[in-house]
Amino acid sequence: MDLFKQVEALIAEIREAQPTDAEGLEQFRRRFVGTKNVIKPFFAEIRNIEADKRKAFGQLLNEAKQLAEQKFEMLKSSVAQAQEESEAQAFDLTAPAEPIELGARHPVAIVMDRIIDIFSRIGFAVAEGPEIEDDWHNFTAMNTPEDHPARDMQDTYYVMNDPGMLLRTHTSSVQAHVMTTQKPPIRIIAPGRVYRNETISARAHCQFHQVEGLYIDEGVSFADMKQTLLYFARQMYGPDARIRLRPSFFPFTEPSAEMDVYWGLKDETDYRITKGTGWLEILGCGMVDPNVLENCGIDSKRYTGFAFGMGIERQAMLQYRVSDIRLFFENDLRFLKQFRGAL
Ligand code: PHE
């Protein structure tokens, strides 16, 4: 076959080539545009062509070369597009959607927010303090000096390389932070995590949450405290909630009390959780001891106040009838999922 015919056959082949995938495209590239393409050797033949046809042959070769390059560029984009389309088809828009797993808020967070909400409505602001606390804020300022027996009730974890630092045993330490940095009138609640060296059981844990309350102003009385706590109990446990205050002892309040809420005695569980009395202990409270005010630089002749502290897990256990405190800390989704949509 003469050389003209051979090159024309290649041109026809290039025109007809229609690869549809990456592999076909690569074959085309190697055959017509790669360094070892089939057009190249014909350039060496130019000198063997009769002189009067040489020019025409050269033009034909250039035409073949250019055509191959242009076609390759065109094919590249059409193959890429075809690939995109087939991927889009693999994505079935009519298939049912993956269900979106709704998270739930932690029961402790739910109850904590409710308590904050209840006290915010009567003008209490939220205050915070550190969980790794110094001895002064946790004990000494709170009228619990070094050898005071009350420290045994709140045995805790000390920081090994700094014995003056410890994990706070109660949110009462925030009282000291607030009183040393703010002037009365003071009206705060302080929610947060606390720690105690307790043997872990269904009723006790080495970590739990508390909400502290503190109100200091001129002329604040025990009656103010009782009314505030009654308001809280009714918001938390319903408009018919009943409370009672029992005398108690805390180093940082005088007089001190424990507050119970009436739970009822309808069934066996009621008997068990109220120890047969129908009453449930909810919080500790009392009038802020003048020593505490003076420790924190507040004039105890001019100002009085009350404080209270309650455990949040305790309230959550009551609200949601949870019988084991450890469930709050185990992150078991079967437990936590049950609080979806809870308020
Ligand atoms: N801090 C006490 C506790 O942890 C509770 C309390 C707070 C009592 C404020 C009286 C006043 O048990």
Side-chain angles (χ1 to χ4, degrees):
M1 221 205 303
D2 88 22
L3 291 166
F4 276 88
K5 289 240 160 64
Q6 289 183 37
V7 176
E8 272 157 11
L10 286 178
I11 289 176
E13 203 190 319
I14 292 169
R15 288 223 160 89
E16 274 156 35
Q18 206 50 263
T20 50
D21 56 9
E23 201 183 323
L25 180 68
E26 175 59 11
Q27 268 167 21
F28 180 92
R29 189 193 65 81
R30 253 186 271 140
R31 183 157 167 78
F32 297 111
V33 290
T35 46
K36 288 180 188 156
N37 69 67
V38 292
I39 305 167
K40 224 178 199 174
F42 286 98
F43 283 91
E45 298 288 345
I46 293 178
R47 58 194 153 96
N48 302 327
I49 303 271
E50 293 149 57
D52 60 336
K53 292 187 182 160
R54 234 173 247 167
K55 193 178 167 203
F57 187 67
Q59 277 170 351
L60 188 65
L61 276 182
N62 278 329
E63 192 195 322
K65 187 170 175 252
Q66 272 169 21
L67 183 69
E69 282 162 4
Q70 280 165 10
K71 179 101 187 210
F72 178 63
E73 288 306 318
M74 216 186 73
L75 289 174
K76 259 208 301 208
S77 60
S78 70
V79 166
Q81 203 183 333
Q83 213 156 12
E84 254 172 52
E85 273 164 22
S86 79
E87 273 163 24
Q89 266 161 18
F91 187 78
D92 181 359
L93 290 169
T94 63
E98 291 271 336
I100 297 171
E101 279 256 358
L102 270 191
R105 290 172 66 229
H106 195 283
V108 169
I110 296 171
V111 172
M112 186 141 77
D113 281 356
R114 270 195 70 195
I115 297 171
I116 291 173
D117 199 47
I118 291 170
F119 282 104
S120 307
R121 270 181 263 142
I122 52 168
F124 281 76
V126 172
E128 280 181 322
E131 286 175 32
I132 303 174
E133 188 53 279
D134 56 50
D135 183 286
W136 189 81
H137 285 90
N138 195 79
F139 288 127
T140 312
M142 302 312 292
N143 205 28
T144 317
E146 192 129 11
D147 44 10
H148 196 289
R151 283 202 183 197
D152 285 349
M153 284 161 48
Q154 297 192 357
D155 185 14
T156 188
Y157 303 99
Y158 286 83
V159 176
M160 212 145 78
N161 54 10
D162 187 349
M165 300 297 285
L166 49 93
L167 299 186
R168 69 180 179 192
T169 58
H170 52 184
T171 42
S172 299
S173 57
V174 185
Q175 287 190 35
H177 282 285
V178 172
M179 284 191 273
T180 50
T181 53
Q182 297 177 24
K183 283 190 168 42
I186 290 170
R187 197 159 27 182
I188 59 101
I189 51 169
R193 193 172 296 150
V194 301
Y195 304 83
R196 288 189 198 174
N197 186 9
E198 301 254 15
T199 310
I200 296 172
S201 70
R203 300 180 60 87
H205 207 285
C206 61
Q207 59 167 341
F208 56 100
H209 296 78
Q210 285 189 330
V211 176
E212 192 80 8
L214 178 69
Y215 181 21
I216 296 172
D217 202 350
E218 286 178 27
V220 176
S221 71
F222 198 90
D224 293 325
M225 179 179 86
K226 195 174 166 189
Q227 202 57 32
T228 303
L229 294 175
L230 179 62
Y231 157 79
F232 166 71
R234 291 194 167 153
Q235 292 288 315
M236 194 75 182
Y237 294 98
D240 301 326
R242 281 194 285 149
I243 62 166
R244 73 175 182 188
L245 292 171
R246 282 177 293 106
S248 184
F249 172 80
F250 299 101
F252 31 89
T253 46
E254 182 60 35
S256 303
E258 261 157 320
M259 185 177 98
D260 299 342
V261 172
Y262 191 70
W263 181 253
L265 270 181
K266 282 190 224 87
D267 58 27
E268 218 178 303
T269 319
D270 296 341
Y271 268 87
R272 192 169 50 77
I273 60 179
T274 67
K275 295 183 188 126
T277 64
W279 292 92
L280 266 175
E281 184 199 319
I282 293 294
L283 55 82
C285 57
M287 299 306 291
V288 178
D289 193 302
N291 287 342
V292 174
L293 294 174
E294 295 296 335
N295 288 344
C296 298
I298 291 176
D299 182 356
S300 65
K301 302 256 177 336
R302 184 168 167 203
Y303 294 105
T304 53
F306 65 78
F308 56 87
M310 63 185 108
I312 299 179
E313 281 78 3
R314 187 80 207 273
Q315 321 252 345
M317 286 170 88
L318 297 173
Q319 295 251 308
Y320 301 119
R321 303 236 162 208
V322 175
S323 57
D324 192 325
I325 195 171
R326 287 169 289 199
L327 285 164
F328 293 122
F329 301 102
E330 283 166 351
N331 283 340
D332 186 335
L333 289 180
R334 289 168 303 175
F335 172 68
L336 295 173
K337 274 179 182 172
Q338 297 176 46
F339 296 93
R340 273 186 197 151
L343 287 172

